[in-house]
Amino acid sequence: MHYSSFPATRLRRLRYEPLVRRLVRETVLSPDRFILPLFVRSGVGIRQAIPSMPNHFQLSIDELVLEAEQAVSLGLGGIILFGIPETKDSIGSDAMSEVGIIARAVRAVKQTVGNKLLVITDLCFCEYTDHGHCGVVYEKPNGGFEVDNDATLENLFRQALVHARSGADILAPSGMMDGMVRALRSGLDREGFSQIPIMSYAAKYASAFYGPFREAAESSPQMGDRRSYQMDSAAAAGQAVREVQLDLDEGADIVIVKPALAYLDIVRLVRDRFEGVPIAAYNVSGEYCMVQAAAEKGWIDEKAIVLESMTAITRAGASIIITYWAKKLAQWL
Ligand code: PBG
């Protein structure tokens, strides 16, 4: 007698009744797992639509504060801020200024939401530099240019310090510079911010899925691309393991895999290799706009597609999801 096979085993028995299906579910979505990305610029009363990202806007600080209040009432886990400065220069000075766009935005939001919402800041320079690269750029002797890893680390720390002093709850370095977590952790500890967690973009791939974000953040590289620092999607998957390991060794508290849906194997790999490490998946702008476009045409059911995708990302092993659907998800759940 084989009880492990038909007819003793009928897997449909767990599927007939909705209450039974609900009982045996393992993947549960909840609003406090979602982080909403927001774009902030200077001015007052500005809500400038981002054409390739329906329902998302470049917001002035007063409008940003309203969004943050809404995030609180929806029970979201947090918001992650991206700044569009008034002026850009070769090193991205606005990012390191106490009166820069993010420093002002964080102070205003924290003043309003207090400890009811996590305010996370993205640490990078591509939105602040006139060349659109994620750090300090130098010209190579025989032509071309390169991003200077170690010079960028110094600036990253200056940016982190400004964010920490402004009241950011978590810092998220996204520039894929070698040693970035170590530079931040040691500097922050020295300055008395040892309690601030680092959520590192550990496995961040050079991806065409970032297209709409670069329109939103006005951060497209003006020359070349980001392939000399972001990961190659065709590289050995184990390279993501090495990136995560290094960031953890340097003091990262949470690691990000980005993008999400085309990289679920990486999420699963990281989940299996690093027990007890919180993993965030960044469901990026390109993933968002494709669904929005198809939904607008009536070709797919947005809510069903998004809930299924979030379930997949969670099932793959991410416990935190950064997503442009965060507000809608909270409403749907
Ligand atoms: C870098 C950064 C980018 C994204 C998040 N942080 C852009 C890039 O690396 O080019 C992309 C996010 C998205 O596409 O939604 N500051």
Side-chain angles (χ1 to χ4, degrees), residues 39-292:
F39 302 96
V40 57
R41 64 175 313 143
S42 58
V44 178
I46 294 174
R47 270 182 93 78
Q48 192 175 320
I50 301 160
S52 55
M53 299 182 69
N55 305 320
H56 281 271
F57 306 86
Q58 291 182 345
L59 305 162
S60 52
I61 291 176
D62 54 319
E63 293 286 332
L64 174 73
V65 167
L66 299 178
E67 287 283 323
E69 287 176 324
Q70 220 185 342
V72 171
S73 62
L74 287 168
L76 295 185
I79 57 176
I80 181 163
L81 300 182
F82 299 95
I84 301 129
E86 242 168 311
T87 52
K88 302 183 188 233
D89 60 22
S90 66
I91 58 166
S93 303
D94 189 90
M96 299 175 275
S97 160
E98 300 279 355
V99 291
I101 183 67
I102 287 292
R104 288 185 287 128
V106 171
R107 284 194 293 267
V109 171
K110 281 317 279 186
Q111 202 160 33
T112 309
V113 301
N115 59 6
K116 294 197 291 279
L117 182 75
L118 289 172
V119 175
I120 304 164
T121 56
D122 183 90
L123 298 182
C124 197
F125 291 98
C126 56
E127 298 116 80
Y128 307 93
T129 52
D130 48 18
H131 44 71
H133 279 282
C134 301
V136 178
V137 161
Y138 68 92
E139 281 188 38
K140 295 200 284 192
N142 44 2
F145 69 94
E146 194 44 84
V147 175
D148 185 330
N149 194 88
D150 298 10
T152 300
L153 294 184
E154 282 173 40
N155 288 356
L156 255 177
F157 167 62
R158 291 168 63 197
Q159 183 183 32
L161 202 53
V162 166
H163 291 193
R165 287 182 178 145
S166 304
D169 296 299
I170 298 179
L171 304 179
S174 70
M176 288 299 284
M177 294 298 123
D178 288 326
M180 67 183 184
V181 175
R182 179 190 171 146
L184 295 179
R185 187 73 278 159
S186 62
L188 288 167
D189 289 358
R190 200 172 56 234
E191 296 292 331
F193 291 107
S194 62
Q195 80 287 0
I196 295 191
I198 292 177
M199 179 163 108
S200 173
Y201 290 74
K204 174 175 176 177
Y205 286 86
S207 171
F209 286 100
Y210 306 153
F213 173 96
R214 292 179 186 171
E215 181 187 25
E218 300 178 9
S219 65
S220 295
Q222 301 302 304
M223 57 202 182
D225 55 41
R226 304 210 204 290
R227 291 178 184 279
S228 82
Y229 38 105
Q230 298 180 351
M231 294 169 71
D232 182 346
S233 61
Q239 225 183 70
V241 174
R242 298 187 70 192
E243 285 283 1
V244 169
Q245 182 72 65
L246 280 166
D247 282 11
L248 291 173
D249 290 347
E250 292 175 23
D253 303 281
I254 300 170
V255 295
I256 300 177
V257 174
K258 177 186 173 191
L261 290 173
Y263 296 83
L264 291 185
D265 58 324
I266 304 298
V267 174
R268 167 52 56 190
L269 184 62
V270 172
R271 169 77 294 140
D272 288 344
R273 290 298 179 93
F274 300 96
E275 200 135 309
V277 175
I279 301 171
Y282 198 140
N283 176 225
V284 301
S285 58
E287 304 177 66
Y288 175 78
C289 80
M290 292 193 301
V291 173
Q292 292 305 119

